[in-house]
């Protein structure tokens, strides 16, 4: 399971708990209880079993994000919910809390050993969450919870299959609804585009929210038509295309709350579902809706990511991540057009590493590749964001520098590059020292097109190498 930029286990001790872990345990227990209180309002079987149980989804997300050490928060939250909110006997409450905790730990284990990535950027990961943690792991708490209540005399043994099914359905819905929302909005590393198109996002939420109030809460509609569920489909497509997974999760959460309020107040499309079916229609709608909406959003994300990867492969060097020859040609054309338009100049540095072949011959090509990656990183750290650094082959790099300030500036920049390259490198326990030979050419003084500039800078670089390397020669 890959979770970027997150500390899974912040405690240093094997058995002790740091303050941050204890705080997270307490917060998780409190959140579990609060969500359990909400779910208890919709308990349809003797006040103990609800068709929705968001606590399970919050608990699984917490353990995925912060590690299994928070299992105690799940147990405490489930225990106090069962005792104080549901009013179960102590022994039954302990059994129910144990089942709920085992369910979350089992879901975590199944995901962890199935190659699950909590960023939910692939359909595979969402389906693993939906089926392993949602459909499969939740059976544990259903069987243990209903079994405990049956043994303590709350339920008749004859009703065990029906009650277990009802319990399982509530836990499944809580997991497949709440866990993806928390994971997608918590894990960093991805730009949240919903905040970058403010007017469009406001328009989407306003129209989708109004449509939801008409369908789920029974608000008056400006056109005399009977509200239909398919009216919300265009909003999910809009959200998926323009705002990705973040937009989809916002709509899912909004429609869940609206439909829950409508069912509780006896209005909207689920007007009598609580009394007639115990919210079974409500459950099926949200299960199918979540599966379809998240599949759409993640499929689009996968397609966009694949396109971005193809573009990166085509334009960037696979080893160093620097622009390759193709992108270098494009950047040069842009600089040349700007220079002609503004009657300015720019500098090209042609860099070749001194003694790189000896590194390959002595230590091997793997170490040589690691050295090239470190050189590329140093060059990126040394130059400005407006400069273009390219690897055009082997141990040869080219840097394009716009807006230079004359010959002295060229020499100063070259000295910075030479100094950063000749600092020692540590490669697999070996300390390596190399230098570089640099040739410089100025557009348009030394060439009026790409080939002429490359030839001028290349000839100057070979003069530097013939003179012993670790120096700059100008065209």
């Amino acid at each position: 399971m890959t979770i970027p930029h997150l500390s899974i286990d912040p405690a240093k001790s094997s058995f002790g708990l740091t303050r941050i872990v204890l705080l997270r345990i307490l917060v998780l227990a409190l959140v579990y209880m609060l969500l359990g209180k909400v779910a208890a309002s919709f308990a349809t079987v003797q006040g103990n079993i609800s068709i929705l149980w968001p606590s399970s989804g919050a608990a699984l997300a917490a353990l995925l994000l912060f590690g299994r050490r928070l299992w105690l928060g799940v147990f405490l939250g489930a225990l106090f919910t069962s005792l104080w909110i549901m009013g179960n006997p102590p022994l039954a409450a302990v059994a129910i809390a144990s089942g709920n905790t085992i369910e979350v730990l089992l879901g975590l284990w199944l995901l962890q050993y199935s190659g699950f990535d909590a960023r939910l950027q692939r359909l595979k990961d969402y389906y693993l969450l939906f089926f392993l943690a949602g459909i499969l792991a939740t059976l544990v708490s259903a069987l243990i919870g209903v079994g405990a209540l049956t043994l303590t005399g709350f339920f008749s043994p004859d009703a065990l299959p029906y009650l277990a099914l009802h319990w399982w359905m509530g836990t499944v819905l809580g997991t497949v609804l709440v866990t993806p929302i928390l994971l997608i909005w918590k894990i960093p590393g991805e730009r949240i585009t919903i905040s970058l198109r403010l007017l469009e996002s406001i328009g989407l939420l306003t129209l989708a929210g109004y449509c939801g109030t008409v369908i789920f809460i029974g608000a008056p509609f400006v056109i005399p038509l009977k509200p239909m569920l398919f009216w919300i489909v265009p909003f999910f497509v809009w959200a998926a295309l323009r705002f990705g997974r973040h937009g989809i999760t916002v709509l899912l959460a909004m429609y869940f709350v609206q439909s829950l309020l409508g069912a509780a107040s006896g209005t909207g499309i689920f007007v009598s579902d609580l009394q007639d079916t115990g919210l079974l229609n409500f459950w099926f709608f949200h299960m199918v809706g979540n599966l379809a909406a998240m599949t759409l959003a993640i499929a689009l994300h996968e397609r966009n990511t694949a396109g971005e990867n193809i573009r990166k492969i085509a334009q960037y060097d696979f080893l160093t991540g620097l622009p390759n020859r193709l992108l270098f040609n494009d950047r040069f054309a842009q600089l040349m057009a700007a220079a002609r338009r503004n009657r300015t100049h720019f500098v090209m540095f042609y860099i070749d590493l001194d003694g790189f072949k000896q590194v390959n011959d002595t230590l091997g090509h793997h170490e040589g590749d690691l050295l090239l990656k470190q050189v590329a990183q140093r060059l990126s750290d040394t130059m400005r964001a407006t400069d273009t650094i390219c690897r055009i082959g082997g141990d040869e790099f080219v840097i394009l520098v716009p807006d230079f300030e004359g010959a002295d500036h060229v020499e100063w920049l070259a000295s910075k590059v030479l100094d950063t390259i000749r600092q020692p490198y540590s490669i697999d326990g070996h300390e390596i020292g190399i230098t570089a030979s640099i040739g410089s050419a100025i557009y348009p003084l030394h060439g009026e097109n790409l080939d002429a500039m490359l030839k001028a800078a290349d000839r100057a670089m070979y003069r530097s190498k013939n003179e012993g390397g670790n120096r700059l020669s100008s065209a």
Side-chain angles (χ1 to χ4, degrees):
M1 177 176 61
T2 305
I3 302 181
H5 312 303
L6 293 173
S7 178
I8 298 300
D9 191 353
K12 301 291 185 180
S13 169
S14 298
F15 301 100
L17 298 175
T18 61
R19 291 181 179 178
I20 186 63
V21 174
L22 280 173
L23 178 60
R24 286 172 176 169
I25 288 173
L26 295 176
V27 170
L28 177 56
L30 180 61
V31 170
Y32 197 104
M33 291 175 59
L34 292 174
L35 293 176
K37 178 65 175 176
V38 173
S41 303
F42 299 90
T44 56
V45 183
Q46 297 185 19
N48 282 278
I49 301 180
S50 174
I51 198 64
L52 58 103
W53 194 253
S55 300
S56 59
L60 179 60
L63 267 63
L64 284 169
L65 291 170
F66 303 110
R68 62 170 54 89
R69 280 198 157 193
L70 300 193
W71 69 266
L72 184 57
V74 181
F75 180 81
L76 292 176
L79 178 63
F80 293 140
T81 300
S82 185
L83 282 173
W84 295 342
I85 297 175
M86 297 299 188
N88 295 318
L91 289 179
V94 171
I96 291 171
S98 299
N100 290 351
T101 305
I102 294 171
E103 166 216 316
V104 176
L105 289 172
L106 175 61
L108 180 69
W109 181 82
L110 289 172
L111 294 175
Q112 190 172 13
Y113 287 95
S114 62
F116 175 74
D117 188 333
R119 292 173 297 181
L120 292 181
Q121 295 180 329
R122 304 174 300 176
L123 280 175
K124 168 190 172 183
D125 299 313
Y126 177 69
Y127 290 152
L128 287 173
L129 175 63
F130 190 96
F131 291 105
L132 293 184
I135 302 296
L136 184 59
T138 51
L139 290 169
V140 174
S141 62
L143 294 174
I144 294 177
V146 173
L149 291 173
T150 302
L151 290 175
T152 54
F154 261 69
F155 303 129
S156 168
D158 297 337
L160 183 62
Y162 168 75
L163 299 175
L165 176 63
H166 212 77
W167 186 302
W168 170 79
M169 291 173 67
T171 312
V172 170
L173 181 57
T175 300
V176 302
L177 174 70
V178 176
T179 304
I181 293 174
L182 295 178
L183 292 180
I184 288 173
W185 282 92
K186 175 62 177 72
I187 293 179
E190 180 181 351
R191 185 178 63 183
I192 301 175
T193 57
I194 195 167
S195 62
L196 302 182
R197 292 188 289 269
L198 184 58
L199 291 178
E200 184 181 359
S201 62
I202 292 174
L204 170 61
L205 291 175
T206 301
L207 294 175
Y210 173 65
C211 185
T213 60
V214 171
I215 295 172
F216 299 116
I217 303 180
F221 190 41
V222 294
I223 302 175
L225 294 176
K226 181 181 178 180
M228 304 293 287
L229 276 176
F230 69 82
W231 289 0
I232 66 175
V233 172
F235 298 114
F236 279 113
V237 175
W238 183 1
L241 289 173
R242 298 292 291 165
F243 302 105
R245 298 165 306 148
H246 292 88
I248 284 291
T249 55
V250 169
L251 290 193
L252 287 173
M254 180 176 68
Y255 286 143
F256 179 79
V257 171
Q258 288 179 332
S259 60
L260 194 59
L261 292 174
S265 61
T267 58
I269 201 165
F270 297 114
V271 56
S272 59
D273 197 44
L274 182 60
Q275 292 78 21
D276 295 345
T277 71
L279 292 180
L280 288 180
N281 291 321
F282 173 93
W283 185 87
F284 277 110
F285 165 73
H286 283 289
M287 287 292 293
V288 174
N290 273 267
L291 182 62
M294 290 299 296
T295 295
L296 173 63
I298 296 176
L300 288 172
H301 178 82
E302 282 190 312
R303 187 199 66 177
N304 294 336
T305 301
E308 180 65 22
N309 289 338
I310 292 173
R311 186 191 68 83
K312 188 171 183 180
I313 291 172
Q315 296 184 337
Y316 290 85
D317 176 54
F318 73 96
L319 178 65
T320 63
L322 294 176
N324 61 14
R325 185 65 177 262
L326 179 64
L327 186 54
F328 166 73
N329 293 347
D330 182 66
R331 297 279 178 87
F332 182 90
Q334 292 179 24
L335 277 181
M336 184 173 65
R340 287 176 175 175
R341 182 172 59 252
N342 302 322
R343 297 184 179 181
T344 56
H345 303 73
F346 62 88
V347 179
M348 174 186 291
F349 289 122
Y350 200 116
I351 303 170
D352 184 88
L353 301 182
D354 302 324
F356 180 74
K357 183 177 183 301
Q358 183 179 356
V359 173
N360 270 341
D361 294 342
T362 305
L363 299 179
H365 289 280
H366 174 67
E367 284 72 13
D369 288 344
L370 295 178
L371 177 60
L372 288 175
K373 291 173 70 174
Q374 289 196 26
V375 170
Q377 185 60 54
R378 289 190 184 184
L379 290 176
S380 298
D381 294 340
T382 300
M383 305 307 293
R384 304 170 302 178
T386 55
D387 302 329
T388 298
I389 309 167
C390 305
R391 180 185 176 219
I392 60 173
D395 60 336
E396 297 178 329
F397 300 84
V398 174
I399 303 177
L400 300 176
V401 182
D403 305 324
F404 75 101
E405 300 171 2
D408 291 342
H409 191 206
V410 172
E411 293 181 4
W412 177 77
L413 287 172
S415 67
K416 282 182 61 179
V417 172
L418 292 171
D419 184 64
T420 193
I421 290 178
R422 65 169 166 254
Q423 300 303 314
Y425 300 83
S426 179
I427 308 291
D428 286 347
H430 301 280
E431 185 172 295
I432 300 174
I434 61 169
T435 57
S437 298
I438 303 179
S440 68
I442 299 175
Y443 178 88
L445 300 179
H446 302 123
E448 296 186 353
N449 56 54
L450 176 59
D451 288 340
M453 287 286 290
L454 281 172
K455 289 178 181 178
D458 187 39
R459 286 194 298 266
M461 180 273 293
Y462 273 105
R463 281 205 311 275
S464 295
K465 194 171 285 289
N466 292 333
E467 293 173 5
N470 192 30
R471 69 187 68 227
L472 165 73
S473 294
S474 298

